[in-house]
Amino acid sequence: MILSKIHPKALLLALSGFCCTVQAEDLLAVGTRFNQIFEQQANGEFTGLGVDILNRFAKQQKVTIHYQMTPWRRAQSMVERGQADILIGPYFNQARQHLLSFSAKAFYRDEIVFYARKTSIIPWNGDYESIKGLRIGKMQGWSYGELFNEKTQSLTINEFVDIKSGIERLSRGDLDLLATNVRNTEATLANIKIPQAIDPIFPLIDTQDGFMAFPKQAQFAPLKQQFDFFFEDMLQSGELANLSKIHRVTIPD
């Protein structure tokens, strides 16, 4: 259900070049579980760096933000269709740029790596030819960068809906490598038991920056504009840097 629409007056002001506040009383922010970015506790409370940022934005704009945790592809679709106002944490890529309006700046940075069993000897040296023939896992709906997408087209790839399943399959020996990010993987490993230990191997696959994203429909333009103004202030004041330390999240330089 659409919980908010930007008031026509706000849209006119934005298009005229005037700064304005968000006119909706309620906004809907969606995403899937991203450790330290967007999480839901047992008591129902939503936490994470993304939530802290949006809560501060809501306070400044005098609006209420409702949060919804949903499978990643569904979350993206909701924002693409204007059924939700904000998508928390997507990486930028060209395909998504056609469907979503990304915030001007990213609010976190991830290292994308391969994980392997500690007992395995994997010849990964940055050249995808070196892992040809290996069984590789990746997360469904994640963006790994254009080079990864191009180079893995001829490789054996298994997709997983959740990271826990990928980790368990790798640990059991059903996979040789799991392509993932360090932040989500280490947080998940801290909460589960697996048969064999796994570790990241280097060099990195890529680094990816995470953004807030908004619907591309014109009526949402003032919302994105006001968020960009707000977020720039957070950067300049050092508030984002302080929050990133609390949540143990890397932020772009």
Side-chain angles (χ1 to χ4, degrees):
M1 181 174 70
I2 301 175
L3 293 186
S4 66
K5 284 289 184 290
I6 302 302
H7 193 280
K9 183 179 178 181
L11 176 59
L12 289 173
L13 287 170
L15 294 177
S16 300
F18 292 98
C19 179
C20 58
T21 57
V22 174
Q23 296 297 307
E25 293 182 0
D26 295 277
L27 300 173
L28 176 60
V30 297
T32 198
R33 181 187 176 91
F34 285 174
N35 294 94
Q36 297 143 275
I37 301 295
F38 184 42
E39 302 184 75
Q40 187 171 21
Q41 306 304 316
N43 64 0
E45 179 186 4
F46 289 95
T47 60
L49 177 59
V51 174
D52 275 0
I53 292 170
L54 290 178
N55 284 346
R56 283 162 171 74
F57 176 60
K59 183 176 180 180
Q60 185 206 65
Q61 296 293 315
K62 297 180 173 58
V63 299
T64 299
I65 294 185
H66 304 273
Y67 296 97
Q68 183 176 331
M69 191 82 66
T70 186
W72 187 230
R73 284 186 171 175
R74 183 182 174 197
Q76 292 177 77
S77 178
M78 289 175 70
V79 178
E80 288 168 16
R81 297 175 183 179
Q83 296 171 331
D85 301 278
I86 305 169
L87 180 63
I88 300 174
Y91 299 154
F92 175 90
N93 63 35
Q94 294 298 323
R96 287 177 180 167
Q97 185 182 29
H98 294 300
L99 301 170
L100 298 166
S101 181
F102 282 79
S103 55
K105 294 185 178 178
F107 72 94
Y108 72 97
R109 174 166 290 173
D110 276 337
E111 292 184 334
I112 311 298
V113 299
F114 284 120
Y115 273 76
R117 293 183 302 283
K118 276 190 174 182
T119 55
S120 299
I121 300 175
I122 301 293
W124 170 246
N125 58 9
D127 181 359
Y128 286 86
E129 285 294 317
S130 68
I131 57 173
K132 198 167 185 178
L134 298 185
R135 300 162 299 169
I136 300 168
K138 60 175 283 193
M139 303 309 301
Q140 189 178 90
W142 283 22
S143 175
Y144 288 86
E146 298 301 326
L147 182 62
F148 178 91
N149 293 340
E150 176 190 343
K151 296 294 186 180
T152 56
Q153 287 181 7
S154 61
L155 303 184
T156 302
I157 303 291
N158 297 274
E159 291 195 344
F160 298 92
V161 175
D162 65 272
I163 196 166
K164 180 173 177 288
S165 299
I167 288 172
E168 290 172 344
R169 291 283 295 277
L170 176 65
S171 177
R172 289 201 304 263
D174 298 334
L175 297 172
D176 299 305
L177 293 170
L178 179 65
T180 181
N181 65 57
V182 174
R183 173 185 48 80
N184 267 315
T185 307
E186 292 300 319
T188 303
L189 284 171
N191 291 298
I192 63 173
K193 293 183 179 180
I194 53 176
Q196 293 187 48
I198 66 173
D199 272 336
I201 60 174
F202 297 92
L204 297 174
I205 294 173
D206 207 342
T207 58
Q208 293 283 327
D209 289 345
F211 295 75
M212 298 294 179
F214 307 83
K216 288 187 78 75
Q217 292 90 327
Q219 66 264 36
F220 294 91
L223 172 61
K224 176 189 176 300
Q225 181 189 53
Q226 280 308 112
F227 178 82
D228 286 341
F229 290 149
F230 161 82
F231 189 70
E232 184 63 31
D233 287 343
M234 283 196 75
L235 288 172
Q236 296 302 322
S237 69
E239 188 173 11
L240 179 66
N242 291 334
L243 287 176
S244 72
K245 293 174 183 176
I246 294 171
H247 291 286
R248 303 185 306 280
V249 173
T250 301
I251 58 175
D253 300 330

